[in-house]
Amino acid sequence: MSRALPKYNKRRVAFIGGAAAVVLTGAVIAQSALAGETSKSNDSARTLAGPGTISCPDVASQLPEIPASAQAEVDRNLALLQTQIAEANQRLVDTVGQGGANFVQNAILGPLEDKRIATVNRIATAIGRTAEKPQGLDALAPCSLGADGAAGGAGEEAGAGDEAGAGEEVEATPSDTATEGAGGTDTGEDAGNTGVGTISCPDVASQLPEIPASAQAEVDRNLALLDTQIAEADQRLVDTVGQGGPNFVQNAIVGPLASKRTAAIERIAISIGRTAEKPEGLDSLAACTVTQ
């Protein structure tokens, strides 16, 4: 009897030890699973990180002395540059998760650059009326996305084309208006581009005054650019049939086209205004429509 007890005790110790090992193994597995979930959660947090911030060169610091007669117009356009950046930053927030690899460049940074070109040109023209016109300010127009933002787009690819000119400007908010449908209206079920149609824009050439000989080449170049912009927009209509939400065509094609046309038209007006009276109100010809 006394010899049997140690053998029983050994069995009991072995059983308890095995059970403890199972419990510890389970704890390790649970801890690993939790670690995996934490890792996934952290990955998601990184994926859903902030959209970044638009960074643009400072224009005010690059200006020469501003004549008193131009001060008000220069100040107004400098303020407009800040408003444009603020609006672009808001679009970054509103469009997180939308667009393809080139979404931010084509839908936000590109239209912002076009707007800035037109604005800095107005600043240069205002100064040039009574002093030497500053040159090269349009080099300050391009902006970039801060390092904390996604390099290629505002989020994962979602229904956007990857080839240039085909569908990269997907779900862009209009360049001159508040966003409509920028906060995720593209569900994939309500296709905005249901048919090809054709872009229709006001004719600029017929609305121009007499063009000075010194401005003819630049005016012709920008008039040709306007035609190219329309042709490219028409091609995007073809390439993006069936894509986007209810405001896709307006936000991704017609809106950015208006921004590009505004910049080109402003260059035409400035080139004429160098040696003749600058035509006013041409920017009202920038907006285009889609006819089915």
Coordinates of all heavy atoms in Angstrom, one line a residue, residues 6 25 32 40 58 64 89 101 103 111 123 132 141 157-158 165 172 175 179 186 202 205 213-214 226 229-230 251 291:
P6 N 3.1 6.5 -3.9 CA 4.0 7.3 -4.8 C 3.7 7.2 -6.2 O 3.7 8.2 -7.0 CB 5.4 6.8 -4.5 CG 5.3 6.2 -3.1 CD 3.9 5.6 -3.1
T25 N -0.9 26.7 -23.1 CA -0.9 26.7 -24.6 C -2.1 27.5 -25.1 O -2.0 28.3 -26.0 CB -1.0 25.3 -25.1 OG1 0.1 24.6 -24.6 CG2 -1.0 25.3 -26.6
S32 N -1.8 35.2 -29.0 CA -1.4 35.4 -30.4 C -2.5 35.9 -31.2 O -2.3 36.7 -32.1 CB -0.8 34.0 -31.0 OG 0.3 33.6 -30.2
K40 N -3.9 43.7 -37.1 CA -4.9 44.1 -38.1 C -5.5 45.4 -37.8 O -5.6 46.3 -38.8 CB -6.0 43.0 -38.2 CG -5.6 41.7 -38.8 CD -6.7 40.8 -38.8 CE -6.3 39.4 -39.4 NZ -7.4 38.4 -39.4
D58 N 4.9 79.8 -51.4 CA 4.3 81.1 -51.0 C 4.5 82.1 -52.1 O 5.6 82.4 -52.5 CB 5.0 81.6 -49.7 CG 4.5 82.9 -49.2 OD1 3.2 83.0 -49.0 OD2 5.3 83.8 -49.0
P64 N 7.5 91.5 -56.1 CA 8.3 92.8 -55.9 C 7.5 93.8 -55.2 O 6.4 93.5 -54.7 CB 8.5 93.2 -57.4 CG 7.2 92.7 -58.1 CD 6.9 91.4 -57.4
N89 N -7.8 71.2 -49.4 CA -7.6 70.4 -48.2 C -8.9 69.8 -47.8 O -8.9 68.6 -47.3 CB -7.0 71.3 -47.1 CG -5.5 71.4 -47.2 OD1 -4.8 70.4 -47.5 ND2 -5.0 72.6 -46.9
A101 N -5.2 55.3 -58.4 CA -3.9 55.6 -58.1 C -3.5 57.0 -58.3 O -2.6 57.6 -57.6 CB -2.9 54.7 -58.9
F103 N -5.7 59.7 -58.3 CA -6.9 60.5 -57.9 C -6.5 61.9 -57.4 O -7.0 62.9 -57.9 CB -7.7 59.7 -56.9 CG -8.9 60.5 -56.4 CD1 -10.1 60.5 -57.1 CD2 -8.9 61.3 -55.3 CE1 -11.2 61.2 -56.7 CE2 -9.9 62.0 -54.8 CZ -11.1 62.0 -55.6
P111 N -6.4 70.5 -60.8 CA -7.3 71.7 -60.8 C -6.9 72.8 -59.9 O -7.0 74.0 -60.3 CB -8.7 71.1 -60.3 CG -8.6 69.6 -60.7 CD -7.2 69.2 -60.5
I123 N -2.4 88.6 -60.5 CA -1.5 89.4 -59.6 C -0.4 90.1 -60.5 O -0.2 91.3 -60.3 CB -0.9 88.5 -58.5 CG1 -2.0 88.1 -57.5 CG2 0.2 89.2 -57.8 CD1 -1.5 87.0 -56.5
E132 N 6.9 97.4 -63.4 CA 7.4 96.3 -64.2 C 6.7 95.0 -63.8 O 6.6 94.7 -62.6 CB 8.9 96.1 -64.0 CG 9.5 95.0 -64.9 CD 11.0 94.9 -64.7 OE1 11.6 95.7 -64.0 OE2 11.6 94.0 -65.4
A141 N 2.8 77.9 -59.0 CA 1.4 77.4 -59.0 C 1.3 75.9 -58.6 O 0.4 75.6 -57.8 CB 0.8 77.5 -60.4
E157 N -8.0 52.0 -54.3 CA -8.6 52.1 -55.6 C -10.1 51.6 -55.5 O -10.4 50.6 -54.9 CB -7.9 51.3 -56.7 CG -6.5 51.8 -57.0 CD -6.0 51.1 -58.2 OE1 -6.7 50.5 -59.0 OE2 -4.7 51.2 -58.4
A158 N -11.0 52.4 -56.1 CA -12.4 52.1 -56.0 C -13.0 52.6 -57.3 O -13.5 53.7 -57.4 CB -13.1 52.7 -54.8
G165 N -5.8 60.0 -68.6 CA -6.8 60.5 -69.5 C -8.0 59.6 -69.7 O -8.9 59.9 -70.4
A172 N -13.8 63.6 -58.9 CA -13.3 64.8 -58.4 C -14.4 65.8 -58.0 O -15.4 65.8 -58.7 CB -12.4 65.4 -59.5
S175 N -14.2 72.2 -59.3 CA -13.1 73.1 -58.9 C -13.6 74.4 -58.3 O -12.9 75.1 -57.6 CB -12.2 73.4 -60.0 OG -12.9 73.9 -61.1
T179 N -18.5 70.5 -52.8 CA -18.6 69.1 -53.3 C -20.0 68.6 -53.3 O -20.8 68.9 -52.3 CB -17.7 68.2 -52.5 OG1 -18.2 68.3 -51.1 CG2 -16.3 68.7 -52.5
D186 N -20.4 57.4 -54.7 CA -20.2 56.4 -55.8 C -20.4 55.0 -55.1 O -19.4 54.4 -54.6 CB -18.9 56.5 -56.4 CG -18.7 55.6 -57.5 OD1 -19.6 54.8 -57.9 OD2 -17.6 55.5 -58.1
P202 N -18.8 77.1 -74.9 CA -19.0 78.3 -75.6 C -17.7 78.6 -76.5 O -16.6 78.2 -76.1 CB -19.1 79.4 -74.5 CG -19.6 78.6 -73.3 CD -19.0 77.2 -73.4
A205 N -13.1 82.1 -79.4 CA -12.5 82.9 -80.5 C -13.4 84.0 -81.0 O -13.0 85.1 -81.2 CB -12.0 82.0 -81.6
A213 N -0.9 92.1 -83.0 CA 0.1 91.2 -83.7 C 1.0 90.5 -82.7 O 1.4 89.3 -82.8 CB 0.8 91.9 -84.7
S214 N 1.4 91.3 -81.6 CA 2.4 90.7 -80.7 C 1.8 89.6 -79.8 O 2.5 88.8 -79.2 CB 2.9 91.9 -79.8 OG 1.8 92.4 -79.1
L226 N -7.6 75.0 -75.9 CA -9.0 74.9 -75.6 C -9.7 73.8 -76.3 O -10.5 73.0 -75.8 CB -9.8 76.2 -75.8 CG -9.4 77.4 -74.8 CD1 -10.1 78.6 -75.3 CD2 -9.9 77.0 -73.4
Q229 N -8.4 70.4 -75.0 CA -9.1 70.1 -73.7 C -10.5 69.5 -73.9 O -10.8 68.6 -73.2 CB -9.2 71.4 -72.8 CG -7.8 71.9 -72.3 CD -7.9 73.3 -71.8 OE1 -8.9 74.0 -71.9 NE2 -6.8 73.7 -71.1
I230 N -11.2 70.1 -74.8 CA -12.5 69.5 -75.1 C -12.4 68.1 -75.7 O -13.2 67.2 -75.3 CB -13.3 70.5 -76.1 CG1 -13.6 71.8 -75.5 CG2 -14.6 69.8 -76.5 CD1 -14.1 72.8 -76.4
N251 N -18.4 66.1 -61.7 CA -17.3 66.3 -60.8 C -16.0 65.8 -61.4 O -14.9 66.3 -61.0 CB -17.6 65.5 -59.5 CG -18.7 66.1 -58.7 OD1 -19.1 67.2 -59.0 ND2 -19.3 65.3 -57.8
T291 N -24.1 67.2 -73.8 CA -25.3 66.9 -74.5 C -25.3 65.5 -75.0 O -24.3 64.9 -75.4 CB -25.4 67.8 -75.8 OG1 -24.2 67.6 -76.6 CG2 -25.4 69.3 -75.4

